[in-house]
Amino acid sequence: MPEFTIGVDIGTTGTKTVLVDVDAARIVAQSTGETTLHSDAPGHAEADPWQWLANTHAGIRAVLAESGISPDRVGAVATTGMVPAVVAVDRDGNPVRRAILQNDARATREIDTLKERIDDETVLAATGSAITQQSVAPTALWLRGNEPDCWQRTARLVGSYDWVLMALGAAPHVELNWAIESGLGMLDGGRFDPMFAAAGLSTDLVPQVLSPGQRAGELSPAAAEATGLLAGLPLIVGGADHVLSAYAAGVNRPGDCLVKLGGAGDILAASERPVVDARLYLDAHPVPGRWLPNGCMATSGSLIRWFQTLSGGHDLVALDDEAQTRSPAEVLCLPYFLGEKSPLHDPDLRGAFVGLDLSHTRADMYRSVLEAIAFGFRHHTEVFAHMGVSLERAMVTNGGSRSVLWKQILADVLGTPLIPVIGHPGASLGAAVIAAVGIGLLGDWDSTQAFQTLGDPVVPDARHVDRYAEAYAEWRTLGDVLTPVSHRMARKARS
């Protein structure tokens, strides 16, 4: 009987693969391959699906080689990834162009068009999300209007992790939360026909909707040769990366909350009821009957990497050390360098640094970037409070959680202790656990707790809490003041 499963996470900046020993509840090997982000025009964010697949093949080969595990001891593979990335594929399942990522902000006119054709409240009630830059129908309209040759060859639209699983041998499908967050699927898993009608899209454009843990097919002979696994291996539906990252971190009961410091910034809270609000998103929790109201900022780690490159490519630890010596909130940054997703849903917002004088240094600007992302998370916690969602136990994961300074700033700005999840590989672990559930190696959806290692809480620094509360109010005002300027600049850039 197999003892191991594999989880693959198709992320914004990289593809992560983990091999999990299910019985021992531990990761025995992991591998990461870098992903190139393409932004050929303002607001555009794309990636090459073939690079995802090459990373997946290489990652699986790498974890098998590192562990020395025989392929016949691997029971299943599941995938996860950013959502709702849009992969337009032809009838053979091959991408007709690069994937359009979830933080892409090109379809502004199309968003306005759809809002004129269909009532926002109707969309929100059915799908849990309003029409925003994250919705897939506006992206489809943009493709149809701007790239007619690609559109003519497009047979289906699928998600990032759906396509990778399909390329490994699975049947055409989209995962439940891709369907929900795309605005094309309803909370009950059915198609939202009014959106297809408003956009003039065929309902055949989106294949069957499958839930986490369902079997979507088996590994093809070609994929077996490319990965080193055995042909016929079960391919299990995983889920959205932010959902599975929260699941693997233990955000499973009401009051649990996760701050996820990835390329984008996610904050998720567990709920026993579907909580619908136009400012946020709503996902189905992998555990049946539970829900995950959540928010996602367009930039987080991606903004830090941008500033790192812009300022000379210095090591992030060195930048942290420099910024540690600077005073809080001397410079304010608006982090809207790819527009903004939740809770503002405004693709025409733009980034800014305000308050600079000649005494300020790179360290002040870098610290302001960390603070800006923390302010964005605080904005979300205010919305959660307004919705009646309790946040009693907050955890923090992903690459940014290794930064002591960033975690401290987050705790100070949010005014609550943050519990780091140590060595958390993110959504890839959640996918591996779900693969085990899908083939019966694990019978309990709450089995993720056995894989967790929690660090000491990062406690708010009383010296900075009040200063950050004041700065947050200034930051919100600054955002309001600069919004019309951003809109004018965005319109000018498009023209």
Side-chain angles (χ1 to χ4, degrees), residues 369-412:
V369 167
L370 301 181
E371 291 166 342
I373 298 164
F375 290 150
F377 282 118
R378 177 162 176 164
H379 195 175
H380 283 85
T381 63
E382 289 187 347
V383 177
F384 278 124
H386 183 260
M387 296 163 61
V389 176
S390 63
L391 305 178
E392 299 169 5
R393 187 177 72 125
M395 291 169 286
V396 59
T397 66
N398 274 47
S401 65
R402 290 192 292 270
S403 168
V404 175
L405 175 62
W406 198 6
K407 286 185 293 188
Q408 188 62 60
I409 288 173
L410 279 164
D412 296 346

mmCIF file of all heavy atoms in Angstrom, residues 369-412:
data_model
loop_
_atom_site.group_PDB
_atom_site.id
_atom_site.type_symbol
_atom_site.label_atom_id
_atom_site.label_comp_id
_atom_site.label_asym_id
_atom_site.label_seq_id
_atom_site.Cartn_x
_atom_site.Cartn_y
_atom_site.Cartn_z
ATOM 1 N N VAL A 369 7.267 50.258 2.809
ATOM 2 C CA VAL A 369 6.654 49.194 2.016
ATOM 3 C C VAL A 369 6.098 48.105 2.943
ATOM 4 O O VAL A 369 4.959 47.658 2.784
ATOM 5 C CB VAL A 369 7.681 48.604 1.027
ATOM 6 C CG1 VAL A 369 7.165 47.303 0.419
ATOM 7 C CG2 VAL A 369 7.983 49.611 -0.082
ATOM 8 N N LEU A 370 6.897 47.680 3.924
ATOM 9 C CA LEU A 370 6.424 46.679 4.887
ATOM 10 C C LEU A 370 5.199 47.195 5.641
ATOM 11 O O LEU A 370 4.229 46.456 5.868
ATOM 12 C CB LEU A 370 7.534 46.329 5.873
ATOM 13 C CG LEU A 370 8.838 45.757 5.300
ATOM 14 C CD1 LEU A 370 9.816 45.445 6.431
ATOM 15 C CD2 LEU A 370 8.577 44.520 4.471
ATOM 16 N N GLU A 371 5.249 48.455 6.038
ATOM 17 C CA GLU A 371 4.133 49.043 6.794
ATOM 18 C C GLU A 371 2.882 49.156 5.930
ATOM 19 O O GLU A 371 1.762 48.925 6.412
ATOM 20 C CB GLU A 371 4.552 50.415 7.329
ATOM 21 C CG GLU A 371 5.616 50.316 8.414
ATOM 22 C CD GLU A 371 6.286 51.646 8.725
ATOM 23 O OE1 GLU A 371 6.184 52.586 7.892
ATOM 24 O OE2 GLU A 371 6.915 51.753 9.788
ATOM 25 N N ALA A 372 3.063 49.495 4.650
ATOM 26 C CA ALA A 372 1.910 49.644 3.760
ATOM 27 C C ALA A 372 1.148 48.325 3.621
ATOM 28 O O ALA A 372 -0.091 48.301 3.626
ATOM 29 C CB ALA A 372 2.371 50.133 2.385
ATOM 30 N N ILE A 373 1.885 47.238 3.489
ATOM 31 C CA ILE A 373 1.232 45.934 3.376
ATOM 32 C C ILE A 373 0.507 45.599 4.682
ATOM 33 O O ILE A 373 -0.621 45.080 4.672
ATOM 34 C CB ILE A 373 2.269 44.861 3.022
ATOM 35 C CG1 ILE A 373 2.906 45.181 1.662
ATOM 36 C CG2 ILE A 373 1.634 43.480 2.984
ATOM 37 C CD1 ILE A 373 4.178 44.430 1.381
ATOM 38 N N ALA A 374 1.133 45.927 5.818
ATOM 39 C CA ALA A 374 0.482 45.695 7.113
ATOM 40 C C ALA A 374 -0.787 46.539 7.241
ATOM 41 O O ALA A 374 -1.807 46.063 7.763
ATOM 42 C CB ALA A 374 1.453 46.019 8.249
ATOM 43 N N PHE A 375 -0.751 47.785 6.769
ATOM 44 C CA PHE A 375 -1.953 48.636 6.799
ATOM 45 C C PHE A 375 -3.060 48.018 5.951
ATOM 46 O O PHE A 375 -4.247 48.071 6.301
ATOM 47 C CB PHE A 375 -1.632 50.038 6.293
ATOM 48 C CG PHE A 375 -0.763 50.856 7.215
ATOM 49 C CD1 PHE A 375 0.085 51.820 6.696
ATOM 50 C CD2 PHE A 375 -0.800 50.676 8.586
ATOM 51 C CE1 PHE A 375 0.884 52.589 7.539
ATOM 52 C CE2 PHE A 375 -0.004 51.431 9.435
ATOM 53 C CZ PHE A 375 0.844 52.396 8.902
ATOM 54 N N GLY A 376 -2.665 47.425 4.804
ATOM 55 C CA GLY A 376 -3.662 46.761 3.968
ATOM 56 C C GLY A 376 -4.335 45.607 4.700
ATOM 57 O O GLY A 376 -5.548 45.412 4.602
ATOM 58 N N PHE A 377 -3.556 44.840 5.471
ATOM 59 C CA PHE A 377 -4.152 43.765 6.262
ATOM 60 C C PHE A 377 -5.070 44.330 7.345
ATOM 61 O O PHE A 377 -6.134 43.768 7.630
ATOM 62 C CB PHE A 377 -3.064 42.904 6.896
ATOM 63 C CG PHE A 377 -2.432 41.921 5.955
ATOM 64 C CD1 PHE A 377 -1.081 41.981 5.648
ATOM 65 C CD2 PHE A 377 -3.195 40.923 5.365
ATOM 66 C CE1 PHE A 377 -0.496 41.068 4.779
ATOM 67 C CE2 PHE A 377 -2.622 40.002 4.496
ATOM 68 C CZ PHE A 377 -1.270 40.082 4.195
ATOM 69 N N ARG A 378 -4.671 45.442 7.959
ATOM 70 C CA ARG A 378 -5.533 46.043 8.985
ATOM 71 C C ARG A 378 -6.859 46.495 8.384
ATOM 72 O O ARG A 378 -7.916 46.349 9.019
ATOM 73 C CB ARG A 378 -4.823 47.225 9.660
ATOM 74 C CG ARG A 378 -5.706 47.940 10.676
ATOM 75 C CD ARG A 378 -4.924 48.791 11.624
ATOM 76 N NE ARG A 378 -5.799 49.547 12.521
ATOM 77 C CZ ARG A 378 -5.406 50.131 13.633
ATOM 78 N NH1 ARG A 378 -4.132 50.042 14.011
ATOM 79 N NH2 ARG A 378 -6.257 50.804 14.384
ATOM 80 N N HIS A 379 -6.802 47.045 7.184
ATOM 81 C CA HIS A 379 -8.034 47.439 6.498
ATOM 82 C C HIS A 379 -8.975 46.229 6.403
ATOM 83 O O HIS A 379 -10.189 46.343 6.639
ATOM 84 C CB HIS A 379 -7.680 47.969 5.109
ATOM 85 C CG HIS A 379 -8.776 48.722 4.437
ATOM 86 N ND1 HIS A 379 -8.624 49.353 3.224
ATOM 87 C CD2 HIS A 379 -10.073 48.936 4.781
ATOM 88 C CE1 HIS A 379 -9.749 49.920 2.860
ATOM 89 N NE2 HIS A 379 -10.653 49.680 3.787
ATOM 90 N N HIS A 380 -8.430 45.077 6.090
ATOM 91 C CA HIS A 380 -9.252 43.870 5.993
ATOM 92 C C HIS A 380 -9.830 43.455 7.349
ATOM 93 O O HIS A 380 -10.988 43.026 7.428
ATOM 94 C CB HIS A 380 -8.425 42.720 5.411
ATOM 95 C CG HIS A 380 -8.218 42.804 3.939
ATOM 96 N ND1 HIS A 380 -7.201 43.530 3.357
ATOM 97 C CD2 HIS A 380 -8.907 42.249 2.906
ATOM 98 C CE1 HIS A 380 -7.272 43.415 2.049
ATOM 99 N NE2 HIS A 380 -8.294 42.643 1.746
ATOM 100 N N THR A 381 -9.033 43.549 8.412
ATOM 101 C CA THR A 381 -9.548 43.139 9.722
ATOM 102 C C THR A 381 -10.709 44.020 10.147
ATOM 103 O O THR A 381 -11.626 43.557 10.829
ATOM 104 C CB THR A 381 -8.447 43.150 10.799
ATOM 105 O OG1 THR A 381 -7.951 44.478 10.987
ATOM 106 C CG2 THR A 381 -7.310 42.220 10.430
ATOM 107 N N GLU A 382 -10.697 45.288 9.748
ATOM 108 C CA GLU A 382 -11.831 46.164 10.048
ATOM 109 C C GLU A 382 -13.085 45.684 9.325
ATOM 110 O O GLU A 382 -14.192 45.734 9.874
ATOM 111 C CB GLU A 382 -11.499 47.602 9.655
ATOM 112 C CG GLU A 382 -10.461 48.266 10.561
ATOM 113 C CD GLU A 382 -10.272 49.737 10.241
ATOM 114 O OE1 GLU A 382 -10.751 50.190 9.166
ATOM 115 O OE2 GLU A 382 -9.643 50.434 11.053
ATOM 116 N N VAL A 383 -12.914 45.227 8.071
ATOM 117 C CA VAL A 383 -14.057 44.712 7.325
ATOM 118 C C VAL A 383 -14.577 43.424 7.969
ATOM 119 O O VAL A 383 -15.788 43.237 8.123
ATOM 120 C CB VAL A 383 -13.673 44.465 5.855
ATOM 121 C CG1 VAL A 383 -14.852 43.850 5.094
ATOM 122 C CG2 VAL A 383 -13.239 45.764 5.187
ATOM 123 N N PHE A 384 -13.669 42.529 8.383
ATOM 124 C CA PHE A 384 -14.086 41.314 9.080
ATOM 125 C C PHE A 384 -14.916 41.654 10.314
ATOM 126 O O PHE A 384 -15.947 41.030 10.586
ATOM 127 C CB PHE A 384 -12.872 40.484 9.490
ATOM 128 C CG PHE A 384 -12.304 39.623 8.407
ATOM 129 C CD1 PHE A 384 -10.973 39.722 8.043
ATOM 130 C CD2 PHE A 384 -13.097 38.694 7.750
ATOM 131 C CE1 PHE A 384 -10.443 38.920 7.050
ATOM 132 C CE2 PHE A 384 -12.586 37.884 6.754
ATOM 133 C CZ PHE A 384 -11.250 37.998 6.403
ATOM 134 N N ALA A 385 -14.445 42.631 11.097
ATOM 135 C CA ALA A 385 -15.163 43.023 12.315
ATOM 136 C C ALA A 385 -16.561 43.520 11.964
ATOM 137 O O ALA A 385 -17.546 43.204 12.652
ATOM 138 C CB ALA A 385 -14.373 44.091 13.056
ATOM 139 N N HIS A 386 -16.658 44.302 10.886
ATOM 140 C CA HIS A 386 -17.954 44.829 10.455
ATOM 141 C C HIS A 386 -18.890 43.696 10.025
ATOM 142 O O HIS A 386 -20.115 43.777 10.190
ATOM 143 C CB HIS A 386 -17.752 45.816 9.302
ATOM 144 C CG HIS A 386 -19.011 46.462 8.823
ATOM 145 N ND1 HIS A 386 -19.682 46.043 7.692
ATOM 146 C CD2 HIS A 386 -19.727 47.493 9.324
ATOM 147 C CE1 HIS A 386 -20.758 46.787 7.507
ATOM 148 N NE2 HIS A 386 -20.811 47.682 8.488
ATOM 149 N N MET A 387 -18.317 42.618 9.492
ATOM 150 C CA MET A 387 -19.107 41.477 9.040
ATOM 151 C C MET A 387 -19.478 40.539 10.183
ATOM 152 O O MET A 387 -20.243 39.591 9.990
ATOM 153 C CB MET A 387 -18.320 40.687 7.991
ATOM 154 C CG MET A 387 -18.037 41.451 6.708
ATOM 155 S SD MET A 387 -16.706 40.674 5.728
ATOM 156 C CE MET A 387 -17.392 39.069 5.377
ATOM 157 N N GLY A 388 -18.930 40.767 11.376
ATOM 158 C CA GLY A 388 -19.209 39.898 12.504
ATOM 159 C C GLY A 388 -18.391 38.625 12.522
ATOM 160 O O GLY A 388 -18.765 37.648 13.180
ATOM 161 N N VAL A 389 -17.252 38.626 11.803
ATOM 162 C CA VAL A 389 -16.358 37.466 11.786
ATOM 163 C C VAL A 389 -15.306 37.658 12.867
ATOM 164 O O VAL A 389 -14.538 38.620 12.827
ATOM 165 C CB VAL A 389 -15.683 37.304 10.404
ATOM 166 C CG1 VAL A 389 -14.684 36.146 10.425
ATOM 167 C CG2 VAL A 389 -16.735 37.086 9.327
ATOM 168 N N SER A 390 -15.250 36.753 13.818
ATOM 169 C CA SER A 390 -14.312 36.895 14.932
ATOM 170 C C SER A 390 -12.916 36.453 14.521
ATOM 171 O O SER A 390 -12.745 35.506 13.746
ATOM 172 C CB SER A 390 -14.774 36.071 16.138
ATOM 173 O OG SER A 390 -14.798 34.690 15.822
ATOM 174 N N LEU A 391 -11.903 37.157 15.023
ATOM 175 C CA LEU A 391 -10.505 36.834 14.778
ATOM 176 C C LEU A 391 -9.841 36.667 16.136
ATOM 177 O O LEU A 391 -9.400 37.633 16.751
ATOM 178 C CB LEU A 391 -9.820 37.946 13.968
ATOM 179 C CG LEU A 391 -10.478 38.325 12.629
ATOM 180 C CD1 LEU A 391 -9.716 39.468 11.979
ATOM 181 C CD2 LEU A 391 -10.551 37.131 11.698
ATOM 182 N N GLU A 392 -9.773 35.441 16.609
ATOM 183 C CA GLU A 392 -9.292 35.186 17.965
ATOM 184 C C GLU A 392 -7.876 34.626 18.008
ATOM 185 O O GLU A 392 -7.142 34.848 18.956
ATOM 186 C CB GLU A 392 -10.247 34.198 18.658
ATOM 187 C CG GLU A 392 -11.669 34.735 18.786
ATOM 188 C CD GLU A 392 -12.645 33.666 19.224
ATOM 189 O OE1 GLU A 392 -12.192 32.533 19.519
ATOM 190 O OE2 GLU A 392 -13.868 33.937 19.248
ATOM 191 N N ARG A 393 -7.494 33.877 16.969
ATOM 192 C CA ARG A 393 -6.161 33.274 16.923
ATOM 193 C C ARG A 393 -5.576 33.530 15.544
ATOM 194 O O ARG A 393 -6.046 32.985 14.548
ATOM 195 C CB ARG A 393 -6.232 31.773 17.191
ATOM 196 C CG ARG A 393 -4.863 31.095 17.328
ATOM 197 C CD ARG A 393 -5.012 29.618 17.673
ATOM 198 N NE ARG A 393 -5.500 28.837 16.550
ATOM 199 C CZ ARG A 393 -4.876 27.746 16.054
ATOM 200 N NH1 ARG A 393 -3.757 27.327 16.603
ATOM 201 N NH2 ARG A 393 -5.398 27.074 15.053
ATOM 202 N N ALA A 394 -4.557 34.396 15.484
ATOM 203 C CA ALA A 394 -3.985 34.802 14.197
ATOM 204 C C ALA A 394 -2.644 34.118 13.984
ATOM 205 O O ALA A 394 -1.776 34.140 14.860
ATOM 206 C CB ALA A 394 -3.821 36.314 14.143
ATOM 207 N N MET A 395 -2.484 33.527 12.812
ATOM 208 C CA MET A 395 -1.225 32.881 12.441
ATOM 209 C C MET A 395 -0.657 33.553 11.205
ATOM 210 O O MET A 395 -1.380 34.252 10.474
ATOM 211 C CB MET A 395 -1.461 31.388 12.205
ATOM 212 C CG MET A 395 -1.797 30.631 13.484
ATOM 213 S SD MET A 395 -2.389 28.947 13.192
ATOM 214 C CE MET A 395 -4.043 29.265 12.577
ATOM 215 N N VAL A 396 0.635 33.355 10.970
ATOM 216 C CA VAL A 396 1.290 33.979 9.824
ATOM 217 C C VAL A 396 2.167 32.929 9.142
ATOM 218 O O VAL A 396 2.843 32.147 9.795
ATOM 219 C CB VAL A 396 2.111 35.219 10.251
ATOM 220 C CG1 VAL A 396 3.176 34.867 11.273
ATOM 221 C CG2 VAL A 396 2.712 35.921 9.037
ATOM 222 N N THR A 397 2.112 32.909 7.801
ATOM 223 C CA THR A 397 2.872 31.924 7.031
ATOM 224 C C THR A 397 3.467 32.553 5.791
ATOM 225 O O THR A 397 3.224 33.714 5.472
ATOM 226 C CB THR A 397 1.988 30.752 6.566
ATOM 227 O OG1 THR A 397 1.020 31.248 5.638
ATOM 228 C CG2 THR A 397 1.303 30.060 7.705
ATOM 229 N N ASN A 398 4.203 31.730 5.066
ATOM 230 C CA ASN A 398 4.826 31.988 3.773
ATOM 231 C C ASN A 398 6.130 32.744 3.902
ATOM 232 O O ASN A 398 6.566 33.094 5.001
ATOM 233 C CB ASN A 398 3.868 32.648 2.786
ATOM 234 C CG ASN A 398 3.037 31.594 2.053
ATOM 235 O OD1 ASN A 398 2.502 30.682 2.675
ATOM 236 N ND2 ASN A 398 2.963 31.697 0.754
ATOM 237 N N GLY A 399 6.758 32.999 2.741
ATOM 238 C CA GLY A 399 8.129 33.486 2.728
ATOM 239 C C GLY A 399 8.373 34.706 3.586
ATOM 240 O O GLY A 399 9.391 34.807 4.274
ATOM 241 N N GLY A 400 7.449 35.657 3.566
ATOM 242 C CA GLY A 400 7.638 36.872 4.338
ATOM 243 C C GLY A 400 7.647 36.642 5.830
ATOM 244 O O GLY A 400 8.152 37.483 6.592
ATOM 245 N N SER A 401 7.091 35.505 6.275
ATOM 246 C CA SER A 401 7.030 35.257 7.712
ATOM 247 C C SER A 401 8.406 34.961 8.301
ATOM 248 O O SER A 401 8.558 34.916 9.516
ATOM 249 C CB SER A 401 6.079 34.088 8.012
ATOM 250 O OG SER A 401 6.572 32.878 7.474
ATOM 251 N N ARG A 402 9.412 34.797 7.436
ATOM 252 C CA ARG A 402 10.775 34.614 7.949
ATOM 253 C C ARG A 402 11.408 35.929 8.372
ATOM 254 O O ARG A 402 12.433 35.940 9.046
ATOM 255 C CB ARG A 402 11.636 33.920 6.883
ATOM 256 C CG ARG A 402 11.264 32.474 6.637
ATOM 257 C CD ARG A 402 12.308 31.760 5.794
ATOM 258 N NE ARG A 402 12.334 32.263 4.423
ATOM 259 C CZ ARG A 402 11.598 31.769 3.434
ATOM 260 N NH1 ARG A 402 10.768 30.768 3.671
ATOM 261 N NH2 ARG A 402 11.676 32.256 2.217
ATOM 262 N N SER A 403 10.824 37.050 7.962
ATOM 263 C CA SER A 403 11.347 38.358 8.324
ATOM 264 C C SER A 403 10.858 38.743 9.720
ATOM 265 O O SER A 403 9.660 38.960 9.942
ATOM 266 C CB SER A 403 10.878 39.413 7.311
ATOM 267 O OG SER A 403 11.139 40.715 7.786
ATOM 268 N N VAL A 404 11.787 38.834 10.665
ATOM 269 C CA VAL A 404 11.424 39.216 12.037
ATOM 270 C C VAL A 404 10.815 40.606 12.053
ATOM 271 O O VAL A 404 9.816 40.868 12.740
ATOM 272 C CB VAL A 404 12.671 39.147 12.949
ATOM 273 C CG1 VAL A 404 12.332 39.658 14.347
ATOM 274 C CG2 VAL A 404 13.207 37.726 13.018
ATOM 275 N N LEU A 405 11.392 41.531 11.293
ATOM 276 C CA LEU A 405 10.897 42.905 11.272
ATOM 277 C C LEU A 405 9.482 42.977 10.720
ATOM 278 O O LEU A 405 8.614 43.649 11.300
ATOM 279 C CB LEU A 405 11.834 43.781 10.436
ATOM 280 C CG LEU A 405 11.369 45.237 10.235
ATOM 281 C CD1 LEU A 405 11.277 45.958 11.571
ATOM 282 C CD2 LEU A 405 12.298 45.969 9.272
ATOM 283 N N TRP A 406 9.240 42.294 9.612
ATOM 284 C CA TRP A 406 7.916 42.361 8.991
ATOM 285 C C TRP A 406 6.858 41.774 9.923
ATOM 286 O O TRP A 406 5.771 42.335 10.077
ATOM 287 C CB TRP A 406 7.936 41.619 7.657
ATOM 288 C CG TRP A 406 6.794 41.961 6.737
ATOM 289 C CD1 TRP A 406 5.844 42.918 6.926
ATOM 290 C CD2 TRP A 406 6.497 41.349 5.491
ATOM 291 N NE1 TRP A 406 4.963 42.939 5.869
ATOM 292 C CE2 TRP A 406 5.345 41.987 4.975
ATOM 293 C CE3 TRP A 406 7.089 40.324 4.752
ATOM 294 C CZ2 TRP A 406 4.773 41.622 3.751
ATOM 295 C CZ3 TRP A 406 6.519 39.966 3.534
ATOM 296 C CH2 TRP A 406 5.381 40.606 3.035
ATOM 297 N N LYS A 407 7.166 40.668 10.562
ATOM 298 C CA LYS A 407 6.206 40.085 11.510
ATOM 299 C C LYS A 407 5.930 41.041 12.661
ATOM 300 O O LYS A 407 4.780 41.178 13.106
ATOM 301 C CB LYS A 407 6.735 38.754 12.038
ATOM 302 C CG LYS A 407 6.670 37.604 11.052
ATOM 303 C CD LYS A 407 7.106 36.296 11.679
ATOM 304 C CE LYS A 407 8.559 36.289 12.042
ATOM 305 N NZ LYS A 407 9.039 34.961 12.472
ATOM 306 N N GLN A 408 6.970 41.706 13.146
ATOM 307 C CA GLN A 408 6.771 42.636 14.254
ATOM 308 C C GLN A 408 5.915 43.822 13.831
ATOM 309 O O GLN A 408 5.019 44.265 14.565
ATOM 310 C CB GLN A 408 8.123 43.142 14.783
ATOM 311 C CG GLN A 408 8.005 43.964 16.062
ATOM 312 C CD GLN A 408 7.434 43.164 17.216
ATOM 313 O OE1 GLN A 408 8.016 42.151 17.625
ATOM 314 N NE2 GLN A 408 6.295 43.601 17.752
ATOM 315 N N ILE A 409 6.177 44.354 12.640
ATOM 316 C CA ILE A 409 5.363 45.461 12.124
ATOM 317 C C ILE A 409 3.912 45.020 11.984
ATOM 318 O O ILE A 409 2.983 45.756 12.356
ATOM 319 C CB ILE A 409 5.925 45.961 10.784
ATOM 320 C CG1 ILE A 409 7.239 46.718 11.010
ATOM 321 C CG2 ILE A 409 4.918 46.855 10.059
ATOM 322 C CD1 ILE A 409 7.966 47.100 9.729
ATOM 323 N N LEU A 410 3.688 43.809 11.471
ATOM 324 C CA LEU A 410 2.317 43.301 11.335
ATOM 325 C C LEU A 410 1.628 43.202 12.689
ATOM 326 O O LEU A 410 0.463 43.619 12.836
ATOM 327 C CB LEU A 410 2.333 41.925 10.665
ATOM 328 C CG LEU A 410 2.464 41.901 9.147
ATOM 329 C CD1 LEU A 410 2.855 40.510 8.672
ATOM 330 C CD2 LEU A 410 1.153 42.329 8.503
ATOM 331 N N ALA A 411 2.319 42.659 13.686
ATOM 332 C CA ALA A 411 1.723 42.541 15.012
ATOM 333 C C ALA A 411 1.415 43.919 15.584
ATOM 334 O O ALA A 411 0.354 44.119 16.205
ATOM 335 C CB ALA A 411 2.666 41.781 15.942
ATOM 336 N N ASP A 412 2.327 44.877 15.391
ATOM 337 C CA ASP A 412 2.120 46.232 15.910
ATOM 338 C C ASP A 412 0.941 46.914 15.226
ATOM 339 O O ASP A 412 0.123 47.582 15.877
ATOM 340 C CB ASP A 412 3.385 47.077 15.705
ATOM 341 C CG ASP A 412 4.573 46.567 16.493
ATOM 342 O OD1 ASP A 412 4.372 45.738 17.399
ATOM 343 O OD2 ASP A 412 5.702 47.004 16.197
#
